[in-house]
């Protein structure tokens, strides 16, 4: 089987083309940062397995599940800031707040992109009275 010459589009394609550089930067990070990044990206990858083909969010419950993955980014960033010495270790006691901030930013992105998504045949805004899955 022959692989396609080009994989991905736009910034995703650029990321794939420059992935060797990403690996070099990752390898140069301190081990604590590498552990945080590995843990969070693994959790997100597991969560995205069920979401990757989703192009439509029907119910408020599906919307929350979809946005929950972005909460992991908030948690990961909090760990990175604490491990770098830029933030107080007490911040780790407030991971639910960091998770909520990540979810909030995902919801802002959904609102910002609603027209673009609709044009592309995607629908991430829940239908208000849709039944739970």
């Amino acid at each position: 089987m022959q692989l396609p010459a080009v994989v991905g589009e736009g910034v995703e394609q650029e990321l794939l083309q420059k992935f060797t550089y990403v690996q070099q930067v990752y390898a140069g990070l301190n081990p604590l940062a590498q552990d945080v990044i590995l843990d969070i990206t693994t959790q997100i990858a597991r969560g995205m397995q069920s979401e990757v083909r989703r192009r439509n969010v029907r119910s408020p419950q599906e919307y929350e599940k979809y946005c929950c993955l972005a909460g992991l980014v908030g948690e990961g960033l909090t760990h990175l800031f604490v491990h770098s010495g830029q933030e107080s270790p007490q911040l780790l006691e407030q991971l639910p707040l960091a998770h909520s901030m990540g979810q909030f930013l995902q919801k802002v992105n959904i609102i910002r992109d609603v027209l673009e998504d609709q044009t592309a045949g995607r629908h991430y805004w829940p239908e208000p009275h849709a039944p739970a899955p």
Side-chain angles (χ1 to χ4, degrees):
M1 181 173 104
Q2 188 173 11
L3 296 174
V6 178
V7 178
E9 298 176 357
V11 294
E12 292 89 1
Q13 183 182 59
E14 182 179 2
L15 174 62
L16 291 170
Q17 290 171 340
K18 296 179 179 179
F19 195 71
T20 302
Y21 176 73
V22 173
Q23 289 175 308
Q24 290 170 353
V25 171
Y26 177 80
L29 296 174
N30 74 51
L32 281 175
Q34 289 177 348
D35 289 347
V36 169
I37 293 168
L38 179 61
D39 176 53
I40 294 301
T41 54
T42 299
Q43 289 183 61
I44 291 171
R46 286 185 184 134
M48 286 301 291
Q49 286 176 346
S50 65
E51 300 297 321
V52 74
R53 288 183 166 61
R54 183 185 300 274
R55 293 179 63 84
N56 293 295
V57 170
R58 295 176 50 94
S59 69
Q61 293 85 356
E62 287 178 343
Y63 173 71
E64 290 301 326
K65 181 180 175 188
Y66 181 78
C67 292
C68 186
L69 293 172
L72 294 170
V73 174
E75 289 182 29
L77 289 173
T78 300
H79 280 282
L80 288 173
F81 293 147
V82 169
H83 291 316
S84 73
Q86 300 298 313
E87 289 293 341
S88 166
Q90 286 97 348
L91 199 56
L92 294 175
E93 297 170 12
Q94 299 181 13
L95 284 180
L97 183 59
H99 191 91
S100 294
M101 180 57 96
Q103 287 179 293
F104 169 76
L105 293 173
Q106 179 65 43
K107 292 173 181 182
V108 168
N109 287 341
I110 288 171
I111 292 168
R112 181 197 64 205
D113 296 340
V114 72
L115 181 59
E116 177 185 334
D117 288 337
Q118 186 178 29
T119 302
R122 299 181 299 258
H123 183 81
Y124 295 106
W125 193 258
E127 298 173 15
H129 302 292

